[in-house]
Short mmCIF file of all heavy atoms in Angstrom, two decimals:
data_model
loop_
_atom_site.label_atom_id
_atom_site.label_comp_id
_atom_site.label_asym_id
_atom_site.label_seq_id
_atom_site.Cartn_x
_atom_site.Cartn_y
_atom_site.Cartn_z
N GLN A 1 -15.00 -26.99 17.96
CA GLN A 1 -14.19 -26.09 18.76
C GLN A 1 -13.75 -24.93 17.89
O GLN A 1 -13.18 -25.13 16.82
CB GLN A 1 -12.97 -26.80 19.33
CG GLN A 1 -12.12 -25.89 20.20
CD GLN A 1 -11.03 -26.65 20.93
OE1 GLN A 1 -11.24 -27.76 21.39
NE2 GLN A 1 -9.87 -26.03 21.04
N SER A 2 -14.07 -23.74 18.34
CA SER A 2 -13.71 -22.51 17.62
C SER A 2 -14.18 -22.55 16.17
O SER A 2 -13.47 -22.14 15.26
CB SER A 2 -12.20 -22.26 17.70
OG SER A 2 -11.79 -22.17 19.04
N GLY A 3 -15.37 -23.10 15.96
CA GLY A 3 -15.98 -23.10 14.63
C GLY A 3 -15.51 -24.16 13.67
O GLY A 3 -15.86 -24.12 12.49
N VAL A 4 -14.70 -25.13 14.12
CA VAL A 4 -14.26 -26.22 13.26
C VAL A 4 -14.46 -27.56 13.97
O VAL A 4 -14.52 -27.63 15.19
CB VAL A 4 -12.77 -26.09 12.85
CG1 VAL A 4 -12.53 -24.84 12.02
CG2 VAL A 4 -11.87 -26.07 14.05
N CYS A 5 -14.56 -28.62 13.19
CA CYS A 5 -14.70 -29.97 13.74
C CYS A 5 -13.32 -30.53 14.05
O CYS A 5 -12.45 -30.55 13.18
CB CYS A 5 -15.41 -30.89 12.74
SG CYS A 5 -17.14 -30.49 12.54
N LEU A 6 -13.14 -30.96 15.28
CA LEU A 6 -11.90 -31.61 15.70
C LEU A 6 -12.25 -33.01 16.17
O LEU A 6 -13.19 -33.19 16.95
CB LEU A 6 -11.24 -30.85 16.84
CG LEU A 6 -10.78 -29.44 16.53
CD1 LEU A 6 -10.22 -28.78 17.79
CD2 LEU A 6 -9.73 -29.45 15.45
N CYS A 7 -11.52 -34.00 15.70
CA CYS A 7 -11.78 -35.38 16.08
C CYS A 7 -10.62 -35.89 16.92
O CYS A 7 -9.47 -35.51 16.73
CB CYS A 7 -11.97 -36.25 14.84
SG CYS A 7 -13.38 -35.72 13.84
N GLY A 8 -10.95 -36.75 17.88
CA GLY A 8 -9.93 -37.31 18.76
C GLY A 8 -10.57 -38.20 19.80
O GLY A 8 -11.65 -38.74 19.60
N ILE A 9 -9.90 -38.32 20.93
CA ILE A 9 -10.39 -39.15 22.03
C ILE A 9 -10.58 -38.25 23.23
O ILE A 9 -9.71 -37.43 23.55
CB ILE A 9 -9.38 -40.27 22.37
CG1 ILE A 9 -9.20 -41.18 21.15
CG2 ILE A 9 -9.85 -41.07 23.57
CD1 ILE A 9 -8.08 -42.18 21.29
N GLY A 10 -11.71 -38.40 23.91
CA GLY A 10 -11.98 -37.59 25.09
C GLY A 10 -13.27 -38.01 25.74
O GLY A 10 -13.81 -39.08 25.46
N CYS A 11 -13.80 -37.16 26.60
CA CYS A 11 -15.03 -37.45 27.33
C CYS A 11 -16.23 -37.50 26.39
O CYS A 11 -16.30 -36.73 25.43
CB CYS A 11 -15.28 -36.38 28.38
SG CYS A 11 -14.00 -36.22 29.62
N TYR A 12 -17.18 -38.40 26.67
CA TYR A 12 -18.41 -38.49 25.89
C TYR A 12 -19.09 -37.13 25.80
O TYR A 12 -19.61 -36.75 24.75
CB TYR A 12 -19.40 -39.47 26.53
CG TYR A 12 -19.20 -40.90 26.13
CD1 TYR A 12 -18.47 -41.77 26.93
CD2 TYR A 12 -19.74 -41.39 24.96
CE1 TYR A 12 -18.29 -43.09 26.57
CE2 TYR A 12 -19.57 -42.70 24.58
CZ TYR A 12 -18.84 -43.56 25.39
OH TYR A 12 -18.65 -44.86 25.02
N SER A 13 -19.12 -36.40 26.91
CA SER A 13 -19.84 -35.13 26.94
C SER A 13 -19.24 -34.08 26.01
O SER A 13 -19.94 -33.18 25.58
CB SER A 13 -19.90 -34.59 28.36
OG SER A 13 -18.60 -34.39 28.85
N GLU A 14 -17.97 -34.19 25.68
CA GLU A 14 -17.34 -33.22 24.80
C GLU A 14 -17.24 -33.70 23.36
O GLU A 14 -17.39 -32.92 22.43
CB GLU A 14 -15.96 -32.86 25.32
CG GLU A 14 -16.03 -32.07 26.61
CD GLU A 14 -14.68 -31.62 27.07
OE1 GLU A 14 -13.90 -31.12 26.23
OE2 GLU A 14 -14.40 -31.76 28.27
N TYR A 15 -16.95 -34.96 23.16
CA TYR A 15 -16.86 -35.52 21.80
C TYR A 15 -18.21 -36.12 21.45
O TYR A 15 -18.39 -37.32 21.39
CB TYR A 15 -15.72 -36.56 21.75
CG TYR A 15 -14.37 -35.90 21.79
CD1 TYR A 15 -13.78 -35.54 22.98
CD2 TYR A 15 -13.71 -35.61 20.61
CE1 TYR A 15 -12.55 -34.91 23.01
CE2 TYR A 15 -12.47 -34.98 20.63
CZ TYR A 15 -11.91 -34.63 21.83
OH TYR A 15 -10.68 -34.00 21.84
N ARG A 16 -19.17 -35.24 21.24
CA ARG A 16 -20.56 -35.66 21.11
C ARG A 16 -20.94 -36.19 19.74
O ARG A 16 -21.99 -36.78 19.58
CB ARG A 16 -21.47 -34.51 21.52
CG ARG A 16 -21.31 -33.28 20.65
CD ARG A 16 -21.92 -32.07 21.25
NE ARG A 16 -23.35 -31.97 20.98
CZ ARG A 16 -24.07 -30.93 21.32
NH1 ARG A 16 -23.55 -29.93 21.97
NH2 ARG A 16 -25.33 -30.89 21.03
N TYR A 17 -20.11 -36.00 18.73
CA TYR A 17 -20.42 -36.46 17.38
C TYR A 17 -19.61 -37.72 17.07
O TYR A 17 -18.41 -37.77 17.30
CB TYR A 17 -20.12 -35.38 16.34
CG TYR A 17 -20.84 -34.08 16.67
CD1 TYR A 17 -20.15 -32.99 17.17
CD2 TYR A 17 -22.22 -33.98 16.52
CE1 TYR A 17 -20.81 -31.82 17.51
CE2 TYR A 17 -22.88 -32.80 16.86
CZ TYR A 17 -22.18 -31.74 17.35
OH TYR A 17 -22.82 -30.59 17.69
N THR A 18 -20.27 -38.72 16.51
CA THR A 18 -19.63 -39.99 16.24
C THR A 18 -18.67 -39.90 15.06
O THR A 18 -17.60 -40.50 15.06
CB THR A 18 -20.70 -41.07 15.97
OG1 THR A 18 -21.59 -41.09 17.09
CG2 THR A 18 -20.08 -42.43 15.80
N THR A 19 -19.06 -39.14 14.04
CA THR A 19 -18.24 -39.04 12.84
C THR A 19 -17.97 -37.57 12.49
O THR A 19 -18.67 -36.68 12.95
CB THR A 19 -18.94 -39.68 11.62
OG1 THR A 19 -20.13 -38.91 11.34
CG2 THR A 19 -19.30 -41.13 11.90
N LYS A 20 -16.98 -37.36 11.66
CA LYS A 20 -16.67 -36.00 11.21
C LYS A 20 -17.83 -35.45 10.37
O LYS A 20 -18.14 -34.26 10.44
CB LYS A 20 -15.37 -35.98 10.41
CG LYS A 20 -14.83 -34.58 10.22
CD LYS A 20 -13.36 -34.59 9.94
CE LYS A 20 -12.81 -33.22 10.18
NZ LYS A 20 -11.38 -33.21 10.36
N GLU A 21 -18.49 -36.31 9.61
CA GLU A 21 -19.62 -35.87 8.81
C GLU A 21 -20.77 -35.38 9.69
O GLU A 21 -21.39 -34.35 9.41
CB GLU A 21 -20.10 -36.99 7.88
CG GLU A 21 -21.23 -36.58 6.95
CD GLU A 21 -20.90 -35.37 6.07
OE1 GLU A 21 -19.73 -35.20 5.68
OE2 GLU A 21 -21.83 -34.59 5.78
N GLU A 22 -21.04 -36.10 10.76
CA GLU A 22 -22.08 -35.67 11.70
C GLU A 22 -21.73 -34.30 12.30
O GLU A 22 -22.58 -33.43 12.44
CB GLU A 22 -22.24 -36.71 12.81
CG GLU A 22 -23.33 -36.40 13.80
CD GLU A 22 -23.42 -37.42 14.92
OE1 GLU A 22 -22.73 -38.46 14.88
OE2 GLU A 22 -24.18 -37.16 15.85
N CYS A 23 -20.47 -34.12 12.63
CA CYS A 23 -20.00 -32.85 13.16
C CYS A 23 -20.15 -31.73 12.12
O CYS A 23 -20.61 -30.63 12.44
CB CYS A 23 -18.54 -32.99 13.59
SG CYS A 23 -17.83 -31.55 14.38
N ARG A 24 -19.79 -32.01 10.89
CA ARG A 24 -19.93 -31.01 9.81
C ARG A 24 -21.38 -30.61 9.60
O ARG A 24 -21.68 -29.45 9.35
CB ARG A 24 -19.33 -31.54 8.52
CG ARG A 24 -17.82 -31.57 8.54
CD ARG A 24 -17.27 -32.11 7.24
NE ARG A 24 -15.83 -32.12 7.28
CZ ARG A 24 -15.09 -33.04 6.69
NH1 ARG A 24 -15.66 -34.03 6.02
NH2 ARG A 24 -13.78 -32.99 6.77
N LYS A 25 -22.29 -31.58 9.69
CA LYS A 25 -23.72 -31.26 9.57
C LYS A 25 -24.15 -30.32 10.68
O LYS A 25 -24.93 -29.40 10.46
CB LYS A 25 -24.56 -32.54 9.60
CG LYS A 25 -24.51 -33.33 8.33
CD LYS A 25 -25.36 -34.58 8.44
CE LYS A 25 -25.24 -35.43 7.19
NZ LYS A 25 -26.00 -36.66 7.29
N ALA A 26 -23.64 -30.55 11.88
CA ALA A 26 -23.96 -29.67 13.00
C ALA A 26 -23.45 -28.26 12.74
O ALA A 26 -24.13 -27.28 13.04
CB ALA A 26 -23.37 -30.23 14.29
N LEU A 27 -22.28 -28.16 12.15
CA LEU A 27 -21.72 -26.84 11.82
C LEU A 27 -22.55 -26.12 10.75
O LEU A 27 -22.65 -24.90 10.77
CB LEU A 27 -20.29 -26.98 11.32
CG LEU A 27 -19.20 -26.96 12.37
CD1 LEU A 27 -17.84 -27.23 11.74
CD2 LEU A 27 -19.18 -25.66 13.13
N ARG A 28 -23.15 -26.89 9.85
CA ARG A 28 -23.95 -26.29 8.79
C ARG A 28 -25.31 -25.81 9.27
O ARG A 28 -26.07 -25.25 8.51
CB ARG A 28 -24.14 -27.28 7.64
CG ARG A 28 -22.90 -27.44 6.79
CD ARG A 28 -23.20 -28.14 5.49
NE ARG A 28 -23.62 -29.51 5.67
CZ ARG A 28 -22.83 -30.58 5.59
NH1 ARG A 28 -21.55 -30.42 5.33
NH2 ARG A 28 -23.30 -31.79 5.76
N GLY A 29 -25.63 -26.06 10.55
CA GLY A 29 -26.85 -25.46 11.07
C GLY A 29 -27.92 -26.40 11.56
O GLY A 29 -28.93 -25.94 12.07
N SER A 30 -27.74 -27.71 11.40
CA SER A 30 -28.78 -28.59 11.93
C SER A 30 -28.80 -28.55 13.45
O SER A 30 -29.79 -28.86 14.08
CB SER A 30 -28.59 -30.02 11.43
OG SER A 30 -27.33 -30.53 11.82
N ARG A 31 -27.70 -28.14 14.07
CA ARG A 31 -27.63 -27.91 15.51
C ARG A 31 -26.92 -26.58 15.72
O ARG A 31 -26.01 -26.22 14.99
CB ARG A 31 -26.83 -29.02 16.21
CG ARG A 31 -27.47 -30.35 16.09
CD ARG A 31 -26.69 -31.37 16.88
NE ARG A 31 -27.22 -32.70 16.61
CZ ARG A 31 -26.70 -33.80 17.08
NH1 ARG A 31 -25.65 -33.76 17.85
NH2 ARG A 31 -27.23 -34.96 16.80
N ARG A 32 -27.35 -25.83 16.70
CA ARG A 32 -26.79 -24.51 16.96
C ARG A 32 -25.39 -24.60 17.59
O ARG A 32 -25.18 -25.34 18.52
CB ARG A 32 -27.73 -23.75 17.89
CG ARG A 32 -27.50 -22.28 17.88
CD ARG A 32 -28.61 -21.59 18.66
NE ARG A 32 -27.97 -20.87 19.75
CZ ARG A 32 -28.12 -21.11 21.03
NH1 ARG A 32 -28.94 -22.04 21.42
NH2 ARG A 32 -27.49 -20.42 21.93
N ASP A 33 -24.46 -23.82 17.09
CA ASP A 33 -23.11 -23.75 17.64
C ASP A 33 -23.09 -22.67 18.72
O ASP A 33 -23.02 -21.48 18.43
CB ASP A 33 -22.11 -23.43 16.53
CG ASP A 33 -20.67 -23.34 17.03
OD1 ASP A 33 -20.43 -23.59 18.23
OD2 ASP A 33 -19.80 -23.01 16.22
N VAL A 34 -23.16 -23.08 19.99
CA VAL A 34 -23.18 -22.12 21.09
C VAL A 34 -21.86 -21.37 21.22
O VAL A 34 -21.81 -20.32 21.83
CB VAL A 34 -23.55 -22.78 22.43
CG1 VAL A 34 -24.96 -23.33 22.40
CG2 VAL A 34 -22.57 -23.86 22.80
N CYS A 35 -20.81 -21.90 20.64
CA CYS A 35 -19.51 -21.23 20.70
C CYS A 35 -19.45 -20.03 19.75
O CYS A 35 -18.53 -19.21 19.85
CB CYS A 35 -18.38 -22.21 20.40
SG CYS A 35 -18.17 -23.45 21.69
N GLN A 36 -20.40 -19.93 18.84
CA GLN A 36 -20.44 -18.84 17.87
C GLN A 36 -20.46 -17.48 18.57
O GLN A 36 -19.90 -16.51 18.09
CB GLN A 36 -21.67 -18.97 16.98
CG GLN A 36 -21.60 -18.19 15.70
CD GLN A 36 -20.88 -18.98 14.63
OE1 GLN A 36 -20.96 -20.18 14.59
NE2 GLN A 36 -20.17 -18.29 13.77
N ARG A 37 -21.09 -17.41 19.74
CA ARG A 37 -21.22 -16.13 20.45
C ARG A 37 -20.02 -15.84 21.35
O ARG A 37 -20.04 -14.89 22.13
CB ARG A 37 -22.52 -16.08 21.23
CG ARG A 37 -22.73 -17.19 22.20
CD ARG A 37 -24.14 -17.15 22.79
NE ARG A 37 -24.43 -18.39 23.45
CZ ARG A 37 -24.18 -18.63 24.74
NH1 ARG A 37 -23.67 -17.69 25.49
NH2 ARG A 37 -24.46 -19.80 25.26
#
């Protein structure tokens, strides 16, 4: 969210990363951040 990894409890469709590390990898470019635009 807004270019940072936020962890918590919510819907599967929004909290798509299991761990903070997985989320950080996505931020580093292995997955595109559509919020960037």
Side-chain angles (χ1 to χ4, degrees):
Q1 181 172 322
S2 302
V4 296
C5 290
L6 296 177
C7 299
I9 299 171
C11 299
Y12 274 97
S13 59
E14 291 185 45
Y15 287 84
R16 61 195 276 185
Y17 306 106
T18 305
T19 65
K20 194 158 197 161
E21 183 57 32
E22 183 182 353
C23 184
R24 287 180 180 145
K25 285 180 184 177
L27 272 175
R28 285 194 294 264
S30 59
R31 297 184 188 176
R32 198 171 120 245
D33 180 4
V34 296
C35 291
Q36 198 85 33
R37 56 188 166 90

